[in-house]
Amino acid sequence: MHVLLVEDDEPVAESLRRGLKRYGFEVDWVTTGAAALAHSGPYDVVLLDLGLPDTDGLDVCKALRERGSVPIIVISARSDETDRVVGLELGADDYVSKPFGVREVIARIRAVMRRVQQPLAAAESGADRYGTRLTIDRKAGRVHVDGQEIALAPKEYDLLSFLTEEPGALMSREQIMEAVWDANWFGPTKTLDVHVAALRRKFAGVITIEAVRGVGFRLEIVKTAEPT
């Protein structure tokens, strides 16, 4: 996924760039509104600061929205409700107030991308569909295979929900532990292997979870043959 980061505060930008790249994102960084509007490269989502040196970020937000439907997440030190409301009314998809953590920004990106990318049928049912057999209703916290609900322990559900956000992506143990058990987890990472084994058992033939030695895990959706 390609991110256009519009931020003139170098420490903030560098921290975001490092964090996003660690999670597999490609990042193009510009420091002014003019550079953002002149940027010609492809990108999937915009992280837009409002306090830019050459123009108000709200004007940039409006201009970008007039050009197309690429998701825009405002990141700003302005916590005033008026700025938040105006930003959303001008076309921003979400608003994150500084200070924030990289994990929060990534969660917002993934949530926004799920909203814009999920198939119409899944959107209507309130669930995300993976292949022809698996659906995950993140609002309700329920998982179904072939229409039958699968009973999961809380951390089994959290792990499945996280790994299915980007099927095929290699997730490191550190990424998974931070996302599912949080950054303050000090227990053994062996618990991750136990939960992976449980998911493999409960979703055999639906998903595969490949262990990449010394790195982490990669979840794939099992493709089923189309009826002839």
Side-chain angles (χ1 to χ4, degrees):
M1 189 180 300
H2 213 124
V3 177
L4 175 60
L5 173 60
V6 189
E7 170 63 72
D8 68 313
D9 187 321
E10 184 172 350
V12 171
E14 285 294 349
S15 176
L16 267 176
R17 286 178 72 190
R18 287 195 302 270
L20 290 169
K21 287 183 176 181
R22 186 157 59 91
Y23 280 81
F25 293 85
E26 296 292 330
V27 181
D28 288 344
W29 173 34
V30 298
T31 59
T32 66
L37 296 176
H39 187 74
S40 59
Y43 48 86
D44 302 296
V45 63
V46 180
L47 297 181
L48 174 64
D49 182 29
L50 295 186
L52 299 173
D54 61 334
T55 186
D56 193 309
L58 291 173
D59 293 330
V60 179
C61 178
K62 181 180 179 182
L64 289 173
R65 178 53 65 234
E66 289 173 349
R67 293 182 179 185
S69 58
V70 173
I72 301 170
I73 300 176
V74 168
I75 52 173
S76 178
R78 302 182 192 175
S79 58
D80 186 85
E81 183 179 1
T82 301
D83 284 318
R84 185 184 299 268
V85 171
V86 171
L88 295 173
E89 288 181 344
L90 289 177
D93 296 271
D94 206 344
Y95 192 112
V96 184
S97 297
K98 296 178 181 178
F100 50 75
V102 172
R103 286 178 57 203
E104 178 185 0
V105 174
I106 290 172
R108 300 293 185 99
I109 291 174
R110 287 175 171 159
V112 166
M113 297 308 295
R114 280 199 301 270
R115 291 200 297 267
V116 300
Q117 291 179 344
Q118 65 184 4
L120 179 60
E124 290 175 347
S125 69
D128 296 321
R129 179 175 292 277
Y130 301 91
T132 59
R133 304 182 62 193
L134 174 66
T135 58
I136 301 177
D137 187 336
R138 287 178 168 83
K139 287 186 177 180
R142 305 175 76 174
V143 179
H144 293 79
V145 172
D146 299 331
Q148 298 296 313
E149 185 168 1
I150 305 298
L152 296 175
K155 287 303 181 185
E156 291 174 356
Y157 169 82
D158 291 343
L159 178 59
L160 179 68
S161 181
F162 176 72
L163 291 177
T164 51
E165 286 181 351
E166 294 185 63
L170 175 59
M171 298 295 184
S172 70
R173 284 178 171 271
E174 180 185 26
Q175 287 175 272
I176 298 170
M177 295 303 295
E178 286 185 0
V180 178
W181 278 269
D182 83 41
N184 296 317
W185 173 263
F186 292 108
T189 60
K190 186 68 175 177
T191 188
L192 172 56
D193 299 273
V194 172
H195 284 75
V196 166
L199 292 184
R200 285 171 173 159
R201 184 176 65 254
K202 293 183 179 183
F203 295 93
V206 179
I207 62 173
T208 61
I209 305 178
E210 175 191 1
V212 179
R213 186 177 179 85
V215 183
F217 295 92
R218 179 188 292 112
L219 179 145
E220 299 276 5
I221 307 300
V222 174
K223 295 181 180 179
T224 55
E226 296 292 334
T228 58

